[in-house]
Amino acid sequence: MVALSWLRGLVTHRPTRPLATALGVAVGVALIASIGTFLSSTNSKMTHRAIARVSIDWQVEAQPGASPADLLSKVSTFPGVTRALAVQFAGSPSFTATTQGSTQTTGAARVLGLPAGYATAFPGELRLLSGSLSGVLVAQQTASNLHVVPGSTVTIARPGTTPTNVTVAGVVDLPYADSLFQHVGAPPGAQAQAPPDNVLLLPQSTFNQVEAPILAKRPELIKTQIHASLSHALANSPSAAFDDVVSRARNLESRLTGTGLVGDNLGTALDTARQDALYAQILFLFLGVPGAILAGLVTALIASAGADRRRRDSALLRTRGASTRTLVRIALAETVFAGVIGVLAGLGAALLIGKSSFGTASFGAGTVSAVLWALGAAIVGLLIAAGSIALPALRDARSLTVAGQRRQIGRTARGPLWARYGLDFIFLAIAGFIYWQASQNGYQLVLAPEGVAQVSVNWYALLAPVLGWIGAGLLVYRLADLVLSRGRIPLTGALRPLAGELAPTVASTMSRQRRLLSRAVALVALTAAFAGSTSVFNSTYRAQAEADARLSNGADVAVTESPGASVGVAQGIAQLKQIRGVGSVEPLQHRYAYIGADLQDLFGVRPGTITTAGKLQNGWFQGGSAADLMKIIAKDPSAILVSAETVKDYQLHRGDTLNLRLQNGQTKQLTTVPFHYEGVAKEFPTAPKDSFFVANQSYVAAKTGSDAVGSFLVQTDGTNPAVVAKRISSVVGSSAAVTDIVNQRVVVGSNLTAVELSGLTRIELGFALVLAAAATGLALGLGFQERRRTFAIASALGARSRQLGGFVWGESAFVTGGGLVLGAVMAGVLSITLVHVLTGVFDPPPDALSIPWGYLIGVGGAVIATVLLAGIITLRALRRPAIEELRDL
Amino acid sequence: MSEGLPLVRCSGAARTYGKGPTATVALQATYCEVFAGQRIGLVGPSGSGKSTLLHLMAGLDDPTVGDVSWPAIGTRDELRPGRVAVIFQGPSLLPPLTVLENTSLPLVIGGMTDKDAREVAHTALRTLDLDVLADKLPEEISGGQAQRVAVARALAGEPTLILADEPTGQLDRASGAAVVEVLLGASEHAGSALLISTHDMTVAERLPERWEMHSGEIQTDTREAQWSR
């Protein structure tokens, strides 16, 4: 009853006190619930994206002796299978084609028999580059090797019988060649390193004709696979979807009783997605938990601004006979009030944020998950309220006497327990050690050993940033405390411009309130570090996602000539430069070169311009910066950059001669061209992930008698690349494939991009801004508000606004300046650690941190603005002593 | 009747707190003047308007009706620090400052160097036998000691007008008598006017003049009339 009366009075007469706490609770709850929404949205998007990236969900391979028709029937009728078609695979010793008087013969090749409607049933499996999909199709690289175009004739060698001819109808790209030609049933390590180079895809009827003699004599040489699509009504969570798909695949295999093995492409994709989902959870840990902890600390700081008054109130109640139990009840009533209001406001805010940022107004992927997230967020909110109000009140009620509860300052001769034991140094040392140790192993956070069903997180490695964050926060407290307790003279000097003749008095005041001020400095620093490191991480991630897209596409717009086309440098540049929106055009040669028996891509570049035109990053190379290596290629045209794998496989040393076999543009014969190995290229625009060469374009042209360009890298003049790509497409027609970076961002983005990292960081950055403003402006403002009595006395003693300003601005400058400076240092170190720790998120790894100056200046500005506002409001209120305070004097 | 301009003049000054039906009239329209050298005891029961009148005279509050002026001192901005000192009835020391720093604060505010202000404050504390408490924080001394420090702080600046609101309210009889003695001595020494509000008649009787307040009005003048209507 007393508690209710007290609460009624509090709400009526001092509503700021519980409402400020409720606001802090709301921020914490909204942050956690928003992250729940984020994870829910993310998991669902990851699953859908993983599904969308698979063309053939299952490839069920008939085992020797099995009836393909029976297998097709069983797979087609298996629950969940929406479509199934039988595809046949045969081998060929070689393909041969004669064009323009020269004959080319390939090595071992594969021939596929595709049933009618295959391209429609599995869209994306075949990408038409030229010609038509109706008829015999030839894979792009095969077309290049044989110099064939639609209409050309290819001779298929057949083991044990005479060769046969087919006419090419179209040239296709096989985007999913790796999975299409997988060895079904083999473990990941036993799969072929690369798909076959030479592939012909025949309509089923043609295949039957071509392979009839083989089928009659050696049927074991022809394999049948059932390609199946599944219903994609799967669980939102990648992990649950993975378990579902994998168990269904096993179930099918058991039903097939040894007649078929399932190549589970969908399961493989979902396996990757669940690893990414684990990364998303780690991101939550790194980006979300510190925010929630900060919200709690800021709330505690805001609540502690009214702690003196609360203690005085308690002392008054004690003198009126209130028992400890009554005081506790009163504190609990205030806690519940602030907590419930905060929780409701926080959940409401999270729903709005979720709706606007992720398009979902649910806290979890399913009902149970949503309830758990909402409940978890609510519990955290109530804990924040309890930690801010109930806990200190309980401690005071039990341990302090009436006189003690009246105390406001107290001498703080001894530091806190953790400081006496040097816990900050211990945490930082352990964090440094773990960081160093984990860095030795490349900082693998998500452990997903091949062949192991479970993925796990290396929690030990996570300790480094966690302990670093806590240790740094404590160290900031120690430093601020040190300045206030031991640095009175320099502090007085620093305060003189603000406080004038009152500087020693202001310094004394601050020194005696050093616990409160040190706590505030530490909190501002932690908030600044949170905002800084989150924004730098986000910015670096975005930059690398952009670099990844640029790496894949090569430039704003890439114009890739069709196989067999021979477009010269001058001709191509002249044609493209005429198109509106085109800024610059960089020709990039693309050839195939044999090193020993291996065929690799070779890119001929103009070393003088490619560094800028291709926006080359230093991290893509070894042995020098991008500019250095291009200078070497320019100076020594025979210099060549190779992949690290090639260096290892061929035991190369810098300066070694590398004899490659390239096709001569005139004779179409392979000719040996000598190069000198001068550096390593790990990545290059438009290059594949595995092995490739980068060489001087002029040298390659001179040695092969052809300056034909593989693709043109087009930078726009600022016009949207998608628009420019459309214009180019309309000019070049089907003679070249035109891709733009806008679409490429969507195509190459990893699952983690689907995580809506931008959505998460937008929330984080928004909360960081709110927390930074609250940690400084609100906390200082409320602190000043609670000390109106002190200011009223000073004012009654004759202090002018300017002199009162000395107190206000002195504290504000110390807390804000100290917090921001130390926070910036923390943010720098944390950003480097975060990017290093979460290196698995980045592809390619970044050269340097990308610093979002705009946002950081915005946060700094917001903090300074709220502090100024708090100070100005305080001083305006103090122009005349607060009359209610004077009436108490 | 004192000579010269009054230090403070209330011309129909009244003060009402709040508005509407809940408004409380703390001070009725009041006419009074205090001259240099006057020593007045302002007596009356709790809620009679003594503190309100003192606050108006000290320029800490504005009358809702009428006017308060300081003809011999100047404008409100010129009252403090130095010219008018106020001693409050409640704890009025700044919690984070030591006794010495609290005492020297008005002097520093008035422009004295920190070093000089400390010396003067030390002297004022010694006068009230408080110099042993110089390095204590307000929370480390008793309420009575804090009140005496507040007196020392008021006297340190040698003000022209001392307005003391129940300065002995928290003190035992002996300490209270000692404080009144110090206040009288200081005002006599500096020629300051002294107005002490109190409900303790033994204190009031020590002062040559006595104004009695009741329901926001000055009822009688025990000496000759000091104000004109």
Side-chain angles (χ1 to χ4, degrees):
Chain A
M1 204 58 199
V2 177
L4 282 179
S5 305
W6 180 266
L7 194 59
R8 199 179 308 122
L10 190 69
V11 173
T12 314
H13 303 296
R14 285 187 207 151
T16 355
R17 182 162 123 185
L19 288 182
T21 311
L23 185 69
V25 171
V27 171
V29 169
L31 183 58
I32 291 179
S34 298
I35 288 168
T37 316
F38 154 73
L39 285 178
S40 140
S41 146
T42 296
N43 275 339
S44 158
K45 281 185 183 171
M46 278 183 172
T47 307
H48 289 120
R49 203 173 167 89
I51 292 169
R53 281 165 172 247
V54 177
S55 176
I56 305 163
D57 293 339
W58 282 347
Q59 288 174 235
V60 186
E61 188 161 294
Q63 295 305 291
S67 154
D70 187 39
L71 188 67
L72 177 62
S73 164
K74 281 182 175 168
V75 173
S76 302
T77 54
F78 186 75
V81 171
T82 56
R83 187 188 291 255
L85 292 171
V87 176
Q88 291 188 295
F89 291 71
S92 166
S94 65
F95 297 150
T96 307
T98 303
T99 49
Q100 295 172 338
S102 74
T103 301
Q104 285 78 37
T105 301
T106 68
R110 304 294 299 272
V111 181
L112 271 69
L114 304 179
Y118 185 85
T120 319
F122 301 102
E125 193 65 26
L126 308 174
R127 192 163 69 91
L128 184 66
L129 296 177
S130 64
S132 158
L133 279 173
S134 306
V136 174
L137 306 175
V138 61
Q140 182 188 19
Q141 192 171 339
T142 317
S144 173
N145 294 345
L146 294 173
H147 306 144
V148 295
V149 291
S152 303
T153 300
V154 175
T155 304
I156 304 170
R158 294 180 294 182
T161 186
T162 53
T164 186
N165 292 338
V166 290
T167 304
V168 174
V171 178
V172 292
D173 177 33
L174 300 172
Y176 300 97
D178 282 324
S179 61
L180 180 64
F181 293 102
Q182 68 182 285
H183 184 185
V184 174
Q191 292 291 348
Q193 287 199 335
D197 289 335
N198 302 303
V199 178
L200 273 175
L201 304 118
L202 313 180
Q204 190 63 57
S205 54
T206 313
F207 182 89
N208 291 342
Q209 288 169 14
V210 168
E211 300 297 336
I214 314 295
L215 197 61
K217 290 178 187 170
R218 297 186 63 188
E220 75 278 4
L221 292 180
I222 296 180
K223 286 186 175 175
T224 301
Q225 281 187 4
I226 310 301
H227 289 185
S229 289
L230 297 179
S231 160
H232 290 162
L234 296 168
N236 279 332
S237 151
S239 199
F242 169 79
D243 290 344
D244 180 24
V245 168
V246 166
S247 58
R248 279 158 64 185
R250 286 194 192 124
N251 184 270
L252 174 61
E253 278 185 346
S254 72
R255 287 192 193 193
L256 295 176
T257 55
T259 57
L261 277 179
V262 179
D264 186 1
N265 300 335
L266 186 56
T268 306
L270 288 168
D271 190 22
T272 310
R274 69 189 181 130
Q275 289 178 36
D276 286 340
L278 212 50
Y279 260 115
Q281 285 170 30
I282 292 170
L283 282 176
F284 156 68
L285 273 177
F286 277 99
L287 305 178
V289 172
I293 292 172
L294 274 175
L297 292 175
V298 169
T299 310
L301 183 76
I302 289 169
S304 75
D308 288 341
R309 190 184 281 266
R310 195 173 287 118
R311 270 200 289 271
R312 284 202 304 275
D313 291 345
S314 298
L316 202 61
L317 285 166
R318 265 272 158 92
T319 56
R320 299 288 183 274
S323 63
T324 301
R325 183 177 287 188
T326 309
L327 293 179
V328 170
R329 276 185 187 159
I330 286 173
L332 284 177
E334 193 179 333
T335 302
V336 170
F337 178 77
V340 169
I341 299 255
V343 165
L344 292 177
L347 290 179
L351 286 177
L352 290 175
I353 291 167
K355 192 81 186 157
S356 61
S357 293
F358 308 118
T360 171
S362 170
F363 302 128
T367 312
V368 178
S369 157
V371 169
L372 285 177
W373 270 102
L375 206 62
I379 289 172
V380 169
L382 292 175
L383 285 175
I384 290 175
S388 307
I389 302 173
L391 203 63
L394 189 70
R395 198 177 50 214
D396 288 352
R398 287 202 168 150
S399 62
L400 292 179
T401 58
V402 170
Q405 284 181 337
R406 278 187 178 147
R407 274 189 192 161
Q408 296 171 43
I409 302 298
R411 290 194 190 269
T412 48
R414 301 180 77 190
L417 194 66
W418 62 261
R420 278 182 267 145
Y421 285 104
L423 210 59
D424 43 350
F425 296 123
I426 293 171
F427 278 3
L428 287 171
I430 295 174
F433 175 73
I434 295 174
Y435 181 76
W436 170 79
Q437 201 182 31
S439 295
Q440 303 297 306
N441 304 321
Y443 230 110
Q444 292 281 318
L445 267 191
V446 172
L447 304 171
E450 282 184 353
V452 177
Q454 288 298 317
V455 286
S456 60
V457 173
N458 181 0
W459 296 108
Y460 173 70
L462 271 177
L463 273 177
V466 171
L467 290 180
W469 194 72
I470 299 171
L474 294 177
L475 183 63
V476 168
Y477 180 101
R478 181 190 287 277
L479 291 173
D481 186 72
L482 194 70
V483 170
L484 290 170
S485 59
R486 304 281 168 85
R488 190 88 69 90
I489 293 170
L491 182 64
T492 303
L495 288 169
R496 209 166 283 283
L498 290 169
E501 66 278 14
L502 278 176
T505 313
V506 176
S508 295
T509 311
M510 288 172 60
S511 174
R512 302 227 170 78
Q513 297 185 115
R514 64 177 180 272
R515 281 206 170 174
L516 185 70
L517 293 178
S518 301
R519 214 181 302 154
V521 171
L523 200 52
V524 172
L526 283 173
T527 314
F530 172 62
S533 56
T534 306
S535 62
V536 169
F537 175 80
N538 177 39
S539 176
T540 307
Y541 181 83
R542 276 166 182 271
Q544 288 316 108
E546 180 67 22
D548 191 15
R550 193 161 286 281
L551 203 52
S552 299
N553 200 54
D556 288 346
V557 181
V559 182
T560 308
E561 300 298 335
S562 293
S566 182
V567 180
V569 174
Q571 177 197 351
I573 291 176
Q575 185 189 28
L576 293 171
K577 275 210 162 174
Q578 285 175 348
I579 298 169
R580 198 153 49 88
V582 170
S584 67
V585 180
E586 180 68 18
L588 190 64
Q589 279 178 345
H590 181 221
R591 307 289 166 87
Y592 291 101
Y594 279 99
I595 173 170
D598 284 353
L599 188 65
Q600 293 187 14
D601 297 79
L602 183 144
F603 295 93
V605 300
R606 297 197 301 190
T609 50
I610 187 68
T611 310
T612 318
K615 298 191 176 173
L616 306 185
Q617 293 191 7
N618 294 334
W620 299 351
F621 302 94
Q622 272 176 15
S625 68
D628 290 346
L629 291 175
M630 288 308 131
K631 270 182 200 161
I632 291 172
I633 290 179
K635 198 173 168 191
D636 173 10
S638 68
I640 192 166
L641 307 180
V642 307
S643 70
E645 197 182 318
T646 306
V647 172
K648 188 179 158 202
D649 289 351
Y650 292 88
Q651 297 287 301
L652 297 178
H653 297 94
R654 201 159 182 166
D656 281 358
T657 299
L658 201 60
N659 288 316
L660 301 181
R661 282 176 298 142
L662 284 96
Q663 193 180 57
N664 186 291
Q666 309 299 321
T667 65
K668 304 296 179 189
Q669 297 299 312
L670 291 174
T671 52
T672 301
V673 180
F675 290 92
H676 293 100
Y677 157 58
E678 287 294 347
V680 171
K682 294 185 285 185
E683 310 267 7
F684 201 77
T686 73
K689 288 278 178 197
D690 44 13
S691 303
F692 59 90
F693 301 110
V694 177
N696 188 308
Q697 196 172 98
S698 311
Y699 182 73
V700 173
K703 292 290 178 184
T704 60
S706 165
D707 71 345
V709 172
S711 56
F712 290 94
L713 305 182
V714 176
Q715 304 294 357
T716 69
D717 59 2
T719 314
N720 183 342
V723 174
V724 176
K726 207 170 247 179
R727 288 179 192 153
I728 293 174
S729 281
S730 66
V731 172
V732 299
S734 60
S735 67
V738 182
T739 54
D740 65 85
I741 196 162
V742 178
N743 287 313
Q744 201 65 21
R745 281 183 197 123
V746 182
V747 175
V748 304
S750 70
N751 262 320
L752 214 60
T753 313
V755 158
E756 281 296 349
L757 193 65
S758 61
L760 173 69
T761 42
R762 195 162 58 238
I763 287 177
E764 295 292 324
L765 299 184
F767 275 103
L769 196 68
V770 170
L771 287 173
T776 47
L778 193 56
L780 278 170
L782 285 174
F784 294 143
Q785 171 80 2
E786 288 295 326
R787 280 189 282 144
R788 273 189 313 164
R789 181 185 173 81
T790 301
F791 291 126
I793 295 168
S795 180
L797 294 175
R800 307 266 181 256
S801 283
R802 182 181 55 80
Q803 291 169 318
L804 292 176
F807 288 91
V808 172
W809 300 129
E811 280 187 26
S812 301
F814 182 78
V815 170
T816 314
L820 286 182
V821 168
L822 293 172
V825 175
M826 272 176 76
V829 176
L830 270 176
S831 298
I832 293 167
T833 313
L834 263 183
V835 169
H836 196 160
V837 167
L838 295 171
T839 192
V841 174
F842 296 100
D843 181 25
D847 271 356
L849 297 180
S850 177
I851 299 172
W853 290 110
Y855 173 79
L856 293 177
I857 290 170
V859 169
V863 166
I864 291 168
T866 52
V867 169
L868 286 175
L869 194 68
I872 289 168
I873 290 172
T874 305
L875 289 174
R876 280 180 76 88
L878 291 173
R879 272 187 188 165
R880 296 292 310 279
I883 201 67
E884 61 273 27
E885 295 295 345
L886 284 177
R887 286 169 69 187
D888 287 345
L889 289 177
Chain B
M1 177 73 75
S2 301
E3 303 269 325
L5 289 170
L7 294 172
V8 58
R9 174 186 290 145
C10 295
S11 311
R15 183 66 166 97
T16 302
Y17 295 111
K19 285 178 182 171
T22 57
T24 307
V25 178
L27 188 69
Q28 310 272 15
T30 301
Y31 297 85
C32 63
E33 288 175 336
V34 177
F35 289 86
Q38 268 189 293
R39 274 153 288 160
I40 305 163
L42 184 63
V43 295
S46 295
S48 59
K50 303 188 296 292
S51 296
T52 305
L53 179 61
L54 244 70
H55 289 162
L56 292 181
M57 284 181 162
L60 295 173
D61 195 7
D62 289 325
T64 39
V65 177
D67 183 47
V68 180
S69 60
W70 300 269
I73 298 175
T75 62
R76 182 203 299 273
D77 288 344
E78 293 170 283
L79 301 183
R80 285 178 306 278
R83 311 299 294 276
V84 174
V86 188
I87 299 164
F88 297 100
Q89 61 180 330
S92 63
L93 300 184
L94 273 71
L97 298 182
T98 61
V99 162
L100 181 65
E101 287 164 343
N102 259 293
T103 312
S104 65
L105 182 61
L107 304 171
V108 178
I109 288 172
M112 201 180 277
T113 64
D114 192 54
K115 192 181 167 206
D116 292 346
R118 281 170 182 265
E119 278 180 21
V120 175
H122 243 303
T123 310
L125 287 172
R126 203 175 301 121
T127 310
L128 278 96
D129 293 330
L130 294 168
D131 48 334
V132 289
L133 303 178
D135 293 328
K136 299 276 187 193
L137 287 173
E139 65 190 28
E140 294 166 341
I141 60 177
S142 71
Q145 286 172 323
Q147 189 65 346
R148 286 162 63 204
V149 172
V151 171
R153 181 175 64 187
L155 299 180
E158 297 186 348
T160 313
L161 173 62
I162 302 168
L163 300 167
D165 190 5
E166 299 278 6
T168 61
Q170 297 184 48
L171 304 178
D172 57 70
R173 189 167 290 272
S175 300
V179 163
V180 172
E181 204 59 50
V182 169
L183 284 171
L184 284 168
S187 70
E188 196 162 350
H189 172 72
S192 320
L194 175 66
L195 191 142
I196 300 178
S197 87
T198 179
H199 55 261
D200 186 347
M201 287 309 288
T202 57
V203 172
E205 282 164 4
R206 304 282 307 278
L207 297 154
E209 293 178 48
R210 195 158 62 247
W211 297 352
E212 286 183 12
M213 289 198 75
H214 188 74
S215 301
E217 281 186 302
I218 297 176
Q219 298 290 316
T220 50
D221 177 9
T222 55
R223 310 285 290 184
E224 60 186 285
Q226 293 296 321
W227 62 92
S228 55
R229 289 178 189 271

